[in-house]
Amino acid sequence: MARRVVVIGGGAAGMSAAAKAKRTDPTLEIVVYERSGYVSYGACGFPYAIKGEIARVEDVVVRTPAQFAKQGIQALIRHEVLEIDPVRQTVRVRDLEDGREFVDHWDELVLTTGGQPTRPPLPGLDLPGVFALRSVEEALAIKAWLAEQRPRTGVIIGGGYIGLEMAEALAAHGVALTLVERLPQVLPSFDPDFATQVADELRRQQVDLRVGQPVQGIVGDERVRGVVVDGETIPAEIVILAAGVRPSAALAQAAGIALGPTGAVAVDDRQRTNLPHVWAAGDVAEALHRVTGKPAWIPLGTTANKQGRVAGENLAGGDARFGGIAGTTVVKVFDLEAAISGLSLARAQAEGFNATAVSATAYSRAHYMPGHQPITVSLVFDQTTRRLLGGQLVGREGVAKRIDTVAAALQAGWTVDEFAELDLSYAPPFAPVWDPLLVAANLARR
Amino acid sequence: MARRVVVIGGGAAGMSAAAKAKRTDPTLEIVVYERSGYVSYGACGFPYAIKGEIARVEDVVVRTPAQFAKQGIQALIRHEVLEIDPVRQTVRVRDLEDGREFVDHWDELVLTTGGQPTRPPLPGLDLPGVFALRSVEEALAIKAWLAEQRPRTGVIIGGGYIGLEMAEALAAHGVALTLVERLPQVLPSFDPDFATQVADELRRQQVDLRVGQPVQGIVGDERVRGVVVDGETIPAEIVILAAGVRPSAALAQAAGIALGPTGAVAVDDRQRTNLPHVWAAGDVAEALHRVTGKPAWIPLGTTANKQGRVAGENLAGGDARFGGIAGTTVVKVFDLEAAISGLSLARAQAEGFNATAVSATAYSRAHYMPGHQPITVSLVFDQTTRRLLGGQLVGREGVAKRIDTVAAALQAGWTVDEFAELDLSYAPPFAPVWDPLLVAANLARR
């Protein structure tokens, strides 16, 4: 009899695992249970679909259940897994359309339940016009609200990646925005001087930015009317809750699958959990951080795709390993790009490194070329070992792919001196003769 | 008495050496002899100045002799060094303004005489309207010719970087262009399929491209009228000679300074030549190629700046080393970007590697984002050791700085499998969830 694989969650990690498993061993019987109405979508595209840069929200869907069926993968939408029995190797599933429950057997189980928005204990969270942003359905609901209600005012709760991207998206609809972040800065994974540049851009774009101010409540009647911050009610005809995400690990935990120190499912570099034949990947799982050497939880689409593939290959009898993460992330905030890889200075010091940072500003192109833009680069390194620990970049062009060079250096485990020896590309339309990365590295060298 | 440093050639390498030497040891007496009328210019900017993207050719000059004088560096323009006496430690110099010759003494000598255009033995090379492109004066002369003669037809001899950039520059002035390359492809350092994409772009831009066709002569009367190719006279009211460059090493060679296998001055990683107290840097010197482990001659502004700095620091008593090159280069050809780092497949095979290549085309941004462009990536690797040997990219955006990740991987000495583990940045406006580099790397992995 064919071995049966059950995948819980049809996002990027789950569908990558399913597809890779089927390619590796075509005899496998694979079923994916997905609670929402869509599988295989890139949630990272939602802000651009809401903004209107992408015509339809559904365009972010990579493949439909019908397309997976042609590959021999059964993807069942609107099916929620309620319970995992690791001894009997079964799951209990509810069909959300008719409420019917059934039990399915698995030989291999893949946990790709993803993450979910943090819901702070606030009154008014359930008012119409208050949205989070994880599913296609939520993205569609925001788009419909914008089209039908035409909100003139809005509040975004949270200054992380999603909050910042949603600021750009809502501003494009003419919504007068307030962004509230309880921490003293936006983008808490960045050092303060970088967060300040992002904050400046938000203000330049007419976003009323309130940092260091927790939200006290959301008010309204038949729909949202405002958000209470520091005793003041800020008018809001739309509210986006983007106050962080956490791993959707309750199902796993209830089944005795071990979580790691971050609260996500602990996995090894094969994506194995503590239970035999149970794998985890994507936003529900941890990943080894190459710089700290410790498990980290940095939920990102790239990691989800890679881990999913590794889980899929291994459960099908292959031998793949996931090389870990460097914590590379980039975000577009209106006309600004901000990127990080590795550790910020604050984080590096908190991790016990003898860390310091150098910072330089240089141009994205040769100084005599039209359109050149300043890029600020910070390199964090250990003063004892001189090892590079992280890098941050901010600027109006040429930031996103420059951070990849930092990611490579972190993977290589270089010192800042080795980093300074890089033979980076140069031509006047693309870089100055001393690339901003090297200008910073030369400062560290002294 | 203060130690005296003589620098021969005031380009990027020479002025970097002078400036770094003075910063390292302010007691040094430093004089730079430069044959042309300008020091410290970025020749790479000339095509953009001629095109008109940069207002004035002189804008590519970083610093003037007067600015260097304030730093305590004497930069003498229109001074040609005729001879080096390594025993007496002198140079014989001619002041090109008044023809006067004199002898100067040095304690440390820096050879930064750069490179010069290859001049094939062609009739008609000296006709008015025929230009090469190394000095500010030549760039000014081309700009004046375009303004005053308004040529309607032009021929570019040579399909390397300068030839391609000059095609874009002249086309912007409405010159109907023919580009002639004697080799079977443009950009000979790239593999043929990449060169073909560049050739297609040239043709799309109405450039009449003739590859595999040597130039037989240049014809004209009081000015250039045409270029003879394959028995046919192609009309040309302007001709750009861009048939390669070679190191300007004659002065060094005459003084007994050893050249390497490439014909450029042999140096160690401290920029020392075979003679004591004689240093060389920039386009006149070789550099260690990190992939082959052999000396290479790939004249580029970045290398010149870095080597100049190393020479300057060391002659002043410091201890700097130049880490070598990966052969990273990028060129903009009209709306196309082409980049390489390391070895092409042909070159890798010629070097004796058991080399193969994988090639993939993927988008510059998420597939659902407007403006995404295909990028073709080729990765060359050794099938025995799996070591990455080189990478090439071509596309309409996002190419230039992506090649830097390949350069980093080459410096790290990674296998393609290690390269595939990179944690590259992802956000829909900047990259798909699988970056084109990783799509190619995954192919190599199989």
Side-chain angles (χ1 to χ4, degrees):
Chain A
M1 215 179 80
R3 277 201 307 155
R4 186 167 175 88
V5 179
V6 166
V7 179
I8 310 178
M15 298 321 294
S16 292
K20 185 69 179 178
K22 192 72 187 178
R23 280 200 303 276
T24 308
D25 180 356
T27 71
L28 289 175
E29 212 177 83
I30 302 179
V31 59
V32 181
Y33 294 115
E34 164 61 36
R35 197 164 48 175
S36 85
Y38 298 85
V39 294
S40 183
Y41 53 84
C44 323
F46 292 154
Y48 305 96
I50 291 164
K51 183 181 175 188
E53 273 192 71
I54 309 169
R56 297 168 350 114
V57 171
E58 294 87 343
D59 291 342
V60 308
V61 173
V62 181
R63 277 187 290 181
T64 60
Q67 289 170 303
F68 282 104
K70 282 186 199 153
Q71 281 184 269
I73 293 164
Q74 193 183 8
L76 295 170
I77 57 171
R78 307 276 301 136
H79 279 70
E80 183 174 9
V81 173
L82 304 172
E83 200 182 356
I84 299 164
D85 185 330
V87 177
R88 292 204 174 99
Q89 300 200 173
T90 57
V91 285
R92 190 158 55 84
V93 186
R94 177 183 292 153
D95 180 336
L96 298 177
E97 291 300 327
D98 58 15
R100 189 178 57 95
E101 286 185 19
F102 60 93
V103 169
D104 193 3
H105 170 265
W106 48 266
D107 296 296
E108 305 289 340
L109 182 71
V110 186
L111 267 171
T112 47
T113 44
Q116 56 189 293
T118 308
R119 286 176 69 87
L122 289 178
L125 266 191
D126 295 320
L127 283 169
V130 180
F131 302 95
L133 183 62
R134 289 293 292 183
S135 66
V136 175
E137 286 86 347
E138 282 164 312
L140 285 166
I142 294 172
K143 221 178 154 177
W145 186 268
L146 287 168
E148 290 155 18
Q149 308 293 331
R150 301 201 170 279
R152 292 150 304 169
T153 55
V155 169
I156 293 169
I157 302 174
Y161 301 110
I162 296 173
L164 296 176
E165 289 171 345
M166 283 306 295
E168 183 183 334
L170 295 193
H173 288 271
V175 180
L177 285 175
T178 304
L179 193 147
V180 190
E181 166 60 53
R182 68 183 170 79
L183 295 174
Q185 66 173 55
V186 295
L187 289 180
S189 60
F190 285 70
D191 282 314
D193 42 339
F194 283 81
T196 298
Q197 288 206 41
V198 171
D200 289 346
E201 173 69 9
L202 288 170
R203 294 197 181 98
R204 198 160 31 229
Q205 301 283 352
Q206 316 302 331
V207 176
D208 179 9
L209 180 62
R210 317 255 181 129
V211 290
Q213 298 186 14
V215 169
Q216 290 150 326
I218 301 173
V219 294
D221 34 55
E222 82 286 1
R223 47 177 285 177
V224 67
R225 299 290 178 193
V227 174
V228 185
V229 178
D230 205 12
E232 176 195 353
T233 300
I234 302 166
E237 294 167 355
I238 183 169
V239 172
I240 305 290
L241 181 67
V245 283
R246 57 189 184 84
S248 296
L251 190 67
Q253 197 172 17
I257 296 163
L259 308 189
T262 70
V265 173
V267 287
D268 67 7
D269 65 357
R270 262 67 183 176
Q271 302 305 131
R272 285 184 287 230
T273 68
N274 66 315
L275 296 185
H277 306 292
V278 180
W279 315 78
D283 290 3
V284 75
E286 294 184 332
L288 188 75
H289 197 295
R290 283 179 176 276
V291 179
T292 63
K294 299 177 189 168
W297 188 68
I298 304 177
L300 280 176
T302 39
T303 307
N305 271 277
K306 289 177 188 162
Q307 289 187 329
R309 250 172 117 121
V310 169
E313 185 166 342
N314 289 338
L315 72 85
D319 181 30
R321 56 183 288 279
F322 178 60
I325 58 172
T328 312
T329 35
V330 58
V331 62
K332 180 171 175 287
V333 184
F334 291 91
D335 299 331
L336 205 67
E337 309 175 7
I340 187 170
S341 191
L343 310 180
S344 66
L345 178 59
R347 175 83 194 286
Q349 287 168 339
E351 288 282 345
F353 290 101
N354 179 19
T356 188
V358 287
S359 190
T361 298
Y363 289 123
S364 58
R365 315 181 190 190
H367 69 278
Y368 47 73
M369 290 297 286
H372 64 265
Q373 297 285 348
I375 295 178
T376 303
V377 179
S378 165
L379 295 176
V380 177
F381 63 102
D382 187 295
Q383 295 168 90
T384 312
T385 64
R386 302 198 53 75
R387 180 181 166 207
L388 183 73
L389 300 171
Q392 292 160 80
L393 283 92
V394 65
R396 286 171 190 275
E397 69 164 17
V399 160
K401 286 293 120 182
R402 269 189 178 88
I403 199 70
D404 288 351
T405 306
V406 178
L410 293 171
Q411 177 166 329
W414 283 338
T415 63
V416 276
D417 311 288
E418 289 168 313
F419 185 75
E421 291 186 356
L422 274 167
D423 185 11
L424 301 183
S425 67
Y426 161 59
F430 307 121
V433 70
W434 288 101
D435 192 274
L437 291 175
L438 296 182
V439 174
N442 281 336
L443 285 180
R445 238 180 181 180
R446 272 168 208 159
Chain B
M1 214 181 76
R3 276 200 309 153
R4 184 165 176 88
V5 179
V6 166
V7 179
I8 312 179
M15 299 320 296
S16 292
K20 186 68 180 178
K22 192 72 187 176
R23 279 201 304 274
T24 308
D25 180 356
T27 71
L28 290 174
E29 212 176 82
I30 303 180
V31 60
V32 181
Y33 294 114
E34 164 60 34
R35 197 164 50 174
S36 84
Y38 299 85
V39 294
S40 183
Y41 53 85
C44 322
F46 292 153
Y48 304 97
I50 291 164
K51 183 181 176 187
E53 274 191 70
I54 309 168
R56 296 167 353 112
V57 171
E58 294 87 342
D59 291 343
V60 308
V61 173
V62 181
R63 278 187 290 182
T64 61
Q67 289 170 302
F68 282 104
K70 281 188 199 153
Q71 280 184 270
I73 294 165
Q74 193 183 9
L76 295 171
I77 58 171
R78 307 275 301 139
H79 279 70
E80 183 175 9
V81 173
L82 302 172
E83 200 181 356
I84 300 165
D85 186 331
V87 177
R88 293 205 173 100
Q89 300 201 173
T90 58
V91 284
R92 190 158 55 84
V93 187
R94 179 183 291 155
D95 180 337
L96 297 178
E97 291 299 329
D98 59 14
R100 188 178 56 95
E101 287 186 18
F102 59 93
V103 168
D104 193 4
H105 171 264
W106 46 266
D107 296 295
E108 304 289 340
L109 181 71
V110 186
L111 267 170
T112 47
T113 44
Q116 56 189 292
T118 306
R119 284 176 70 87
L122 289 178
L125 266 190
D126 296 321
L127 283 169
V130 180
F131 301 96
L133 182 61
R134 289 294 293 183
S135 66
V136 175
E137 287 86 347
E138 283 164 312
L140 286 167
I142 294 172
K143 219 177 155 179
W145 186 267
L146 287 168
E148 290 155 19
Q149 308 293 331
R150 301 202 171 277
R152 290 151 304 168
T153 55
V155 169
I156 292 168
I157 302 174
Y161 302 111
I162 296 173
L164 296 175
E165 289 170 347
M166 283 306 295
E168 183 183 334
L170 295 193
H173 289 272
V175 180
L177 283 175
T178 304
L179 193 148
V180 190
E181 167 59 54
R182 69 183 170 80
L183 296 174
Q185 67 172 54
V186 296
L187 290 180
S189 61
F190 284 70
D191 283 315
D193 42 337
F194 283 81
T196 298
Q197 288 205 42
V198 172
D200 289 346
E201 173 70 7
L202 289 170
R203 295 200 181 95
R204 200 160 30 230
Q205 301 284 352
Q206 316 302 331
V207 176
D208 180 8
L209 178 63
R210 315 254 181 133
V211 290
Q213 298 186 13
V215 170
Q216 290 149 328
I218 301 174
V219 294
D221 33 52
E222 81 286 1
R223 47 178 284 179
V224 69
R225 297 292 176 191
V227 175
V228 185
V229 179
D230 205 12
E232 178 194 351
T233 301
I234 302 167
E237 294 168 356
I238 184 170
V239 171
I240 305 291
L241 183 65
V245 284
R246 58 191 182 83
S248 296
L251 189 68
Q253 197 173 17
I257 296 163
L259 308 188
T262 69
V265 173
V267 288
D268 67 6
D269 65 355
R270 262 66 182 176
Q271 302 305 131
R272 287 183 286 230
T273 69
N274 66 314
L275 297 186
H277 306 292
V278 180
W279 314 78
D283 290 3
V284 76
E286 294 184 331
L288 188 75
H289 197 295
R290 284 179 176 275
V291 179
T292 63
K294 299 175 189 168
W297 187 68
I298 303 177
L300 281 176
T302 38
T303 307
N305 270 277
K306 288 177 188 163
Q307 289 188 329
R309 251 173 117 122
V310 169
E313 184 166 342
N314 289 336
L315 72 86
D319 181 29
R321 57 182 289 277
F322 178 61
I325 58 171
T328 312
T329 35
V330 58
V331 62
K332 180 170 174 287
V333 184
F334 292 92
D335 298 332
L336 205 66
E337 308 175 8
I340 188 170
S341 191
L343 310 180
S344 66
L345 178 59
R347 175 84 192 286
Q349 286 169 340
E351 288 282 345
F353 290 102
N354 179 21
T356 190
V358 287
S359 190
T361 299
Y363 289 123
S364 57
R365 317 180 189 190
H367 70 278
Y368 47 72
M369 289 297 284
H372 64 267
Q373 296 286 348
I375 295 178
T376 303
V377 180
S378 166
L379 296 176
V380 177
F381 63 101
D382 187 296
Q383 295 168 89
T384 313
T385 63
R386 299 195 57 74
R387 181 182 164 205
L388 183 72
L389 301 171
Q392 292 158 81
L393 283 91
V394 65
R396 287 171 188 276
E397 69 164 15
V399 161
K401 287 292 120 184
R402 268 189 179 89
I403 200 68
D404 289 350
T405 306
V406 177
L410 293 172
Q411 177 166 329
W414 283 338
T415 63
V416 276
D417 311 290
E418 289 167 315
F419 185 75
E421 290 185 357
L422 274 166
D423 186 11
L424 301 183
S425 67
Y426 161 58
F430 307 120
V433 70
W434 288 100
D435 192 273
L437 291 174
L438 295 182
V439 174
N442 280 336
L443 285 180
R445 238 180 179 180
R446 274 168 206 160

